[in-house]
């Protein structure tokens, strides 16, 4: 699928037609599903160089692609660029970034992100909290994993397996 989406964008460029945000977002999403994190980031850069502003869907797909590619560092870099540019994070963004930290064995970053979410009066969703528990578990930080589990129960969320 990502190869077809890339072909469409290349054909558009060869016909001097600039892709729009929807076209780029579709390609970035297809790249993410195809585990092509480099292509996702390349297209994100190209989208911005064409003067377009990525939507939260676009950012989320790029961050998810980095997670799937086990590149927590690039997921964090994309998140920071998004925030500096005034982009708004949502539950999907936070969940994707937390999952990238969990997969990359970065529980301290997952913890810091959750603290940041709380300080901005946002409530992390169950997916985000499960990813945090996973990150803490991989780091053998049972205390933070347990604290997160207790937080889930206090919020009357139904914990599930990760």
């Amino acid at each position: 699928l990502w190869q077809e989406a890339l072909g469409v964008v290349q054909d558009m460029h060869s016909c001097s037609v600039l892709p729009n945000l929807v076209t780029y977002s579709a390609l970035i999403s297809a790249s993410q599903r195809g585990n092509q994190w480099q292509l996702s980031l390349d297209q994100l850069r190209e989208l911005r160089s064409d003067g377009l502003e990525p939507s939260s869907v676009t950012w989320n797909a790029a961050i998810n692609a980095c997670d799937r590619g086990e590149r927590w560092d690039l997921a964090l870099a994309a998140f920071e660029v998004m925030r500096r540019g005034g982009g708004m994070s949502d539950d999907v963004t936070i969940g994707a970034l937390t999952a990238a930290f969990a997969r990359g064995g970065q529980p301290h970053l997952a913890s810091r992100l959750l603290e940041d979410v709380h300080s901005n009066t946002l409530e992390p969703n169950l997916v985000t909290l499960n990813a945090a528990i996973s990150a803490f578990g991989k780091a053998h930080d049972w205390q933070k994993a347990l604290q997160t589990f207790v937080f889930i129960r206090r919020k009357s969320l139904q914990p599930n397996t990760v």
Side-chain angles (χ1 to χ4, degrees):
L1 185 62
W2 66 268
Q3 298 97 328
E4 292 173 15
L6 179 60
V8 168
V9 170
Q10 289 171 336
D11 289 347
M12 290 176 78
H13 281 296
S14 69
C15 295
S16 299
V17 175
L18 284 179
N20 63 19
L21 179 60
V22 173
T23 308
Y24 276 119
S25 294
L27 175 54
I28 291 168
S29 292
S31 301
Q32 174 242 323
R33 286 190 298 278
N35 296 318
Q36 300 295 316
W37 61 267
Q38 294 118 327
L39 180 59
S40 290
L41 293 179
D42 288 345
Q43 293 306 306
L44 185 61
R45 277 189 287 278
E46 192 166 325
L47 173 156
R48 296 181 81 220
S49 73
D50 283 351
L52 299 171
E53 198 55 45
S55 68
S56 61
V57 171
T58 311
W59 284 113
N60 292 342
I63 291 169
N64 268 313
C66 294
D67 170 34
R68 285 186 173 195
E70 298 183 18
R71 294 302 308 263
W72 67 266
D73 55 331
L74 296 177
L76 178 58
F79 178 73
E80 289 172 347
V81 169
M82 178 194 75
R83 287 180 68 172
R84 278 195 308 271
M88 298 298 294
S89 59
D90 57 20
D91 286 345
V92 176
T93 314
I94 302 303
L97 192 53
T98 305
F101 293 155
R103 190 183 313 267
Q106 303 297 317
H108 61 287
L109 293 175
S111 182
R112 196 167 68 196
L113 180 63
L114 286 179
E115 290 169 11
D116 188 38
V117 166
H118 286 300
S119 70
N120 287 317
T121 66
L122 298 174
E123 286 294 324
N125 66 16
L126 187 58
V127 172
T128 300
L129 294 167
N130 280 336
I133 289 173
S134 176
F136 300 142
K138 287 178 182 176
H140 307 289
D141 190 343
W142 62 270
Q143 290 172 321
K144 283 194 178 173
L146 184 58
Q147 287 171 349
T148 306
F149 180 77
V150 168
F151 178 81
I152 289 171
R153 297 295 296 166
R154 235 186 268 133
K155 292 294 182 181
S156 299
L157 298 172
Q158 186 59 44
N160 56 18
T161 57
V162 178

